[in-house]
């Protein structure tokens, strides 16, 4: 009995071994999928470019050589709605295969926009062999050989389609008359593709078209783009909005509150290239209005701060006795500025430029080796900082419509410098008012109205003047029995300066009174600004007015000499620095030689 059972067990084991060996000897097929990955998600924008994804892999034959021509490869894609796509693919000699499935936007126009394969990422923006079903799809790849061997591989993938939806953004805190405000909503899709939408603010609200996805939630950051209105900057904190997937029926809305702020210019004033603070006066002039702001440094560290400045472009000037700093164009928000004061000389050259006993509004002064200074357009007074009276042999004064004057003997107070009118300057006299029209300016006349197309003109008036002067500049009409000056130069705001009386500036339906001591930028219906001492000269230095005036030949030669002198001085400074560095290197080299000698001798 026991012997019979043993025989049966031995026979069973032999059969199992034969079956196992036969199975091992039977050749097999295997499919390895490279793309798509298991559970991979593919993104498709709401509408736009033709896009396809690859389905690729390799068929491997085990136990015998692969014969690709004998293998039939089929693909089947089945989505959750039951849609079925059947396709076929071919193998190359190494058993690799690749086919492409086209993603078509759900709301795209038909036919889909075609993109040439050489443009816009040709690997994916191309025609596929079939369309990928929407939603979650199961991919089945099946291989069958002629000898009956089979293999299969499956993958689950999904298509996350985007769609555009309106987002309503309520913006509180902006002035009712503000224009040009915009809001922005931005997100990142799969931490890869940035998406931003913009909307114009109208009646305190904006609508932004944003993208939502079928399967993935998105986090949007919503904010007001920084806006400057009437010198005030408006911003909002960033609001975060989570947009859930497949929430088509829920309205999307967010609320923002604008926060107004003004600007600051702050920093230090130092002596030369050192870090030593200097007690100085600072003047900041707003270029678009002429408004001036002044402050003092806090001695002895030289720290300064100009706060609550309207947001605009400014010209900043620092001055101290015997030293100066070239004006800088800045915008509030420029912190930690360092202003270096230069001492080219110890004196300040002061004076006043007049024509026919009245201040000349458009005069400029050049002393050797120093930047051109401009006279105040209201008073004709000028100041040239840091003049070395021992080295500056002369100074040249030039003015629109007048012959230049050279000051051969310099002293700190030169007093009044009277200019003579050029022969080609036209002067129109009307009942106590004189209108000056330089030949270099382009002025046309229609009746009693003079239109300034480019250049400068100015008017002087007596106390008993009866005539009203009318001047047109761009969209402005200027009228008044007053002493005033107007300039319209390239790369500068056209500007009106009133030194006596009052001028009415008519802009569209607005009438803007400009009183004595005020300036008005003739663009966009602005508000007049009072000119602080020195502010008018600083404004004119920013406008490039010097380019419109022709210096006499002698003045041009002196200016050329001044430039050459400045170049020589700079070269001498550089040579002195180089010599100092060389002298410093000598003891260092000697010390290195001594150390090397003792190391070699062992002493």
């Amino acid at each position: 009995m026991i012997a019979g059972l043993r025989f049966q067990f031995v026979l069973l084991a032999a059969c199992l071994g034969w079956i196992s060996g036969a199975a091992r000897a039977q050749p097999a097929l295997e499919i390895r999928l490279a793309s798509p990955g298991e559970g991979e998600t593919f993104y498709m924008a709401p509408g736009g470019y033709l896009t396809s994804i690859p389905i690729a892999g390799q068929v491997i034959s085990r136990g015998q050589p692969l014969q690709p021509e004998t293998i039939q490869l089929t693909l089947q894609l089945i989505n959750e709605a039951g849609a079925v796509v059947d396709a076929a693919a071919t193998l190359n000699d190494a058993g690799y295969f690749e086919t492409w499935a086209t993603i078509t936007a759900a709301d795209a126009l038909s036919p889909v926009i075609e993109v040439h394969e050489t443009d816009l990422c040709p690997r994916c923006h191309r025609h596929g062999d079939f369309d990928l079903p929407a939603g979650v799809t199961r991919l089945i790849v099946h291989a069958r050989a002629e000898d009956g061997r089979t293999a299969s591989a499956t993958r689950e993938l999904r298509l996350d389609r985007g769609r555009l939806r309106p987002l309503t953004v309520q913006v509180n805190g902006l002035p009712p008359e503000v224009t040009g405000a915009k809001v922005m909503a931005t997100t990142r899709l799969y931490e890869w593709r940035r998406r931003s939408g913009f909307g114009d603010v109208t009646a305190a609200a904006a609508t932004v078209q944003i993208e939502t996805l079928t399967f993935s939630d998105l986090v949007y950051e919503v904010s007001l783009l920084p806006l400057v209105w009437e010198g005030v900057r408006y911003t909002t904190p960033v609001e975060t909005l989570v947009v859930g997937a497949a929430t088509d029926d829920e309205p999307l809305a967010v609320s923002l509150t604008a926060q107004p702020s003004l600007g600051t210019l702050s920093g230090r004033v130092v002596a030369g290239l050192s870090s030593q603070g200097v007690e100085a006066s600072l003047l900041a002039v707003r270029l678009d209005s002429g408004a001036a702001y002044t402050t003092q440094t806090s001695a002895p560290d030289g720290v300064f701060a100009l706060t609550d400045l309207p947001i605009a472009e400014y010209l900043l000037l620092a001055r101290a006795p015997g030293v100066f700093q070239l004006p800088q164009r800045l915008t509030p928000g420029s912190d930690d500025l360092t202003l270096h004061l230069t001492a080219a000389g110890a004196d300040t050259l002061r004076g006043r430029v007049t024509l026919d006993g009245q201040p000349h509004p458009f005069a400029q002064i050049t002393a050797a080796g120093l930047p051109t200074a401009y006279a105040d357009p209201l008073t004709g007074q000028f100041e040239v900082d840091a003049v070395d009276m021992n080295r500056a042999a002369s100074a040249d004064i030039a003015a629109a419509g007048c012959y230049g004057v050279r000051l051969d003997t310099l002293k700190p107070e030169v007093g009044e410098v009277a200019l003579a009118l050029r022969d080609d300057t036209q002067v129109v006299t009307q009942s106590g008012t004189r209108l000056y029209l330089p030949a270099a300016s382009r002025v046309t006349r229609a009746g009693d109205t003079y239109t300034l197309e480019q250049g400068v003109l100015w008017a002087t008036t007596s106390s008993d003047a009866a005539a009203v002067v009318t001047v047109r500049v761009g969209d402005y009409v200027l009228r008044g029995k007053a002493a005033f000056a107007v300039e319209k130069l390239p790369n500068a705001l056209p500007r009106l300066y009133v030194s006596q009386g009052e001028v009415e500036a008519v802009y569209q339906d607005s009438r803007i009174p400009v009183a004595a001591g005020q300036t008005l930028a003739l663009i966009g219906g602005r508000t007049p600004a009072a000119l602080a001492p020195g502010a008018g000269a600083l404004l004119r230095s920013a406008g490039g007015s010097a380019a419109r005036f022709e210096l006499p030949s002698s003045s041009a030669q002196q200016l050329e000499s001044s430039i050459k002198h400045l170049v020589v001085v700079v070269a001498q400074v550089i040579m002195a620095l180089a010599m100092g560095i060389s002298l410093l290197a000598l003891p260092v080299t000697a010390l290195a030689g001594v150390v090397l000698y003792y190391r070699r001798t062992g002493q």
Side-chain angles (χ1 to χ4, degrees):
M1 178 71 177
I2 294 176
L5 290 174
R6 287 179 178 174
F7 175 76
Q8 292 177 2
F9 277 120
V10 171
L11 182 61
L12 178 61
C15 292
L16 291 174
W18 178 83
I19 294 172
S20 176
R24 284 196 300 271
Q26 175 69 27
L29 288 179
E30 178 185 353
I31 299 177
R32 294 181 179 178
L33 279 177
S35 173
E38 178 60 34
E40 187 170 357
T41 298
F42 295 93
Y43 160 74
M44 183 55 203
Y49 296 123
L50 170 72
T51 306
S52 296
I53 64 170
I55 298 175
Q58 183 183 19
V59 176
I60 300 173
S61 175
R62 301 193 181 279
Q64 71 179 44
L66 178 69
Q67 295 178 315
E69 69 277 3
T70 67
I71 296 176
Q72 181 183 10
L73 190 67
T74 60
L75 296 83
Q76 190 175 57
L77 296 98
I78 308 172
N79 72 356
E80 53 197 357
V84 178
V85 174
D86 292 311
T90 58
L91 301 178
N92 65 13
D93 293 341
Y96 290 98
F97 66 91
E98 181 182 78
T99 187
W100 288 78
T102 298
I103 300 173
T104 303
D107 54 353
L109 298 176
S110 181
V112 178
I113 298 174
E114 295 188 13
V115 179
H116 194 272
E117 289 196 8
T118 59
D119 299 328
L120 299 172
C121 184
R123 284 288 297 169
C124 55
H125 293 291
R126 54 179 292 179
H127 282 290
D129 302 302
F130 51 86
D131 291 339
L132 185 71
V136 179
T137 298
R138 186 170 184 81
L139 167 67
I140 303 172
V141 182
H142 185 73
R144 174 181 293 276
E146 288 182 350
D147 58 10
R149 292 176 297 155
T150 62
S152 296
T154 62
R155 287 284 191 273
E156 187 174 278
L157 57 108
R158 65 182 185 179
L159 183 60
D160 205 355
R161 296 184 185 272
R163 102 172 251 210
L164 295 178
R165 295 177 56 195
L167 167 65
T168 301
V169 183
Q170 186 72 30
V171 183
N172 304 310
L174 289 178
E177 68 277 9
V178 72
T179 59
K182 290 180 178 290
V183 295
M184 177 180 70
T186 183
T187 189
R188 285 191 180 272
L189 308 177
Y190 298 103
E191 300 298 326
W192 164 67
R193 178 75 72 178
R194 182 183 179 91
R195 286 286 186 269
S196 297
F198 301 88
D200 296 325
V201 178
T202 304
T207 300
V208 183
Q209 293 295 325
I210 65 171
E211 186 174 344
T212 61
L213 297 177
T214 306
F215 296 107
S216 303
D217 296 342
L218 292 177
V219 178
Y220 275 91
E221 293 182 343
V222 187
S223 62
L224 176 74
L225 293 179
L227 170 72
V228 176
W229 181 260
E230 297 296 334
V232 180
R233 177 184 285 115
Y234 293 91
T235 57
T236 63
V238 176
E239 292 290 336
T240 300
L241 176 67
V242 179
V243 181
T247 55
D248 295 348
D249 297 332
E250 297 180 9
L252 301 177
V254 69
S255 180
L256 303 175
T257 301
Q259 299 177 349
S261 63
L262 296 174
T264 299
L265 291 172
S266 62
R268 292 185 69 223
V269 180
V270 298
L273 299 179
S274 72
S275 59
Q276 178 183 354
V278 175
E279 185 175 3
S281 301
L282 291 102
L283 172 65
V285 180
R286 181 173 170 176
L287 293 182
D288 64 352
S289 69
Y293 304 84
T294 59
T295 189
Q296 297 284 330
T297 59
S298 55
D301 55 6
V303 173
F304 72 91
L306 285 160
T307 59
D308 295 332
L309 295 176
I311 308 300
E313 191 176 19
Y314 288 82
L315 208 61
L316 180 63
L317 177 67
R319 301 174 66 181
V323 290
F324 73 102
Q325 169 254 336
L326 294 177
Q328 295 186 31
R329 284 177 180 257
L330 299 167
T331 300
S334 303
D335 300 326
D336 299 325
L337 298 169
T338 301
L339 306 181
H340 301 274
L341 297 189
T342 303
D347 297 310
T348 298
L349 184 68
R350 297 183 177 88
R352 181 169 178 260
V353 181
T354 63
L355 172 66
D356 297 334
Q358 300 290 332
H360 194 300
F362 299 120
Q364 59 192 49
I365 302 88
T366 304
L370 295 173
T372 297
Y374 293 82
D376 189 311
L378 301 184
T379 63
Q381 295 176 344
F382 65 87
E383 291 185 349
V384 183
D385 290 306
V387 177
D388 188 342
M389 298 294 180
N390 296 321
R391 300 189 61 179
S394 62
D396 292 296
I397 298 178
C402 296
Y403 292 107
V405 171
R406 168 168 293 179
L407 304 177
D408 292 320
T409 302
L410 296 186
K411 54 183 179 180
E413 299 290 341
V414 299
E416 182 175 313
V417 180
L419 301 182
L421 203 63
R422 292 177 63 96
D423 295 336
D424 55 3
T425 299
Q426 182 182 0
V427 181
V428 180
T429 302
Q430 295 180 350
S431 303
T433 300
R434 291 167 64 87
L435 183 64
Y436 294 85
L437 308 175
S441 299
R442 294 205 304 266
V443 181
T444 59
R445 179 178 180 178
D448 293 332
T449 300
Y450 297 85
T451 300
L452 177 62
E453 297 178 359
Q454 183 170 304
V456 300
L457 61 78
W458 68 98
T460 60
T461 185
S462 61
S463 57
D464 57 350
V468 174
V469 177
T470 302
V471 175
R472 178 181 293 275
V473 183
D475 296 329
Y476 282 79
V477 176
L478 312 175
R479 298 190 184 96
K481 292 183 289 186
F484 64 90
V486 185
E487 60 180 348
K488 185 181 181 184
L489 303 172
N491 304 318
L493 292 176
R495 193 175 295 277
L496 164 70
Y497 304 95
V498 180
S499 57
Q500 181 182 342
E502 182 178 281
V503 173
E504 181 184 62
V506 180
Y507 174 76
Q508 297 178 355
D509 296 331
S510 302
R511 297 180 179 274
I512 307 169
V514 186
Q518 291 185 330
T519 182
L520 175 66
L522 301 176
I523 180 169
R526 299 174 183 269
T527 302
L531 278 175
L538 203 57
L539 275 177
R540 297 207 58 247
S541 70
S545 303
R548 299 299 306 167
F549 303 152
E550 296 181 0
L551 292 174
S553 58
S554 59
S555 299
Q557 293 171 0
Q558 177 63 25
L559 182 57
E560 181 181 359
S561 174
S562 301
I563 294 174
K564 291 180 179 179
H565 172 72
L566 180 60
V567 171
V568 171
V569 171
V570 172
Q572 289 174 347
V573 172
I574 294 174
M575 292 177 62
L577 290 174
M579 185 175 294
I581 294 173
S582 301
L583 292 175
L584 181 63
L586 288 176
V588 175
T589 305
L591 179 60
V594 172
V595 172
L596 182 62
Y597 170 78
Y598 277 103
R599 282 188 176 180
R600 289 181 175 177
T601 59
Q603 300 180 12

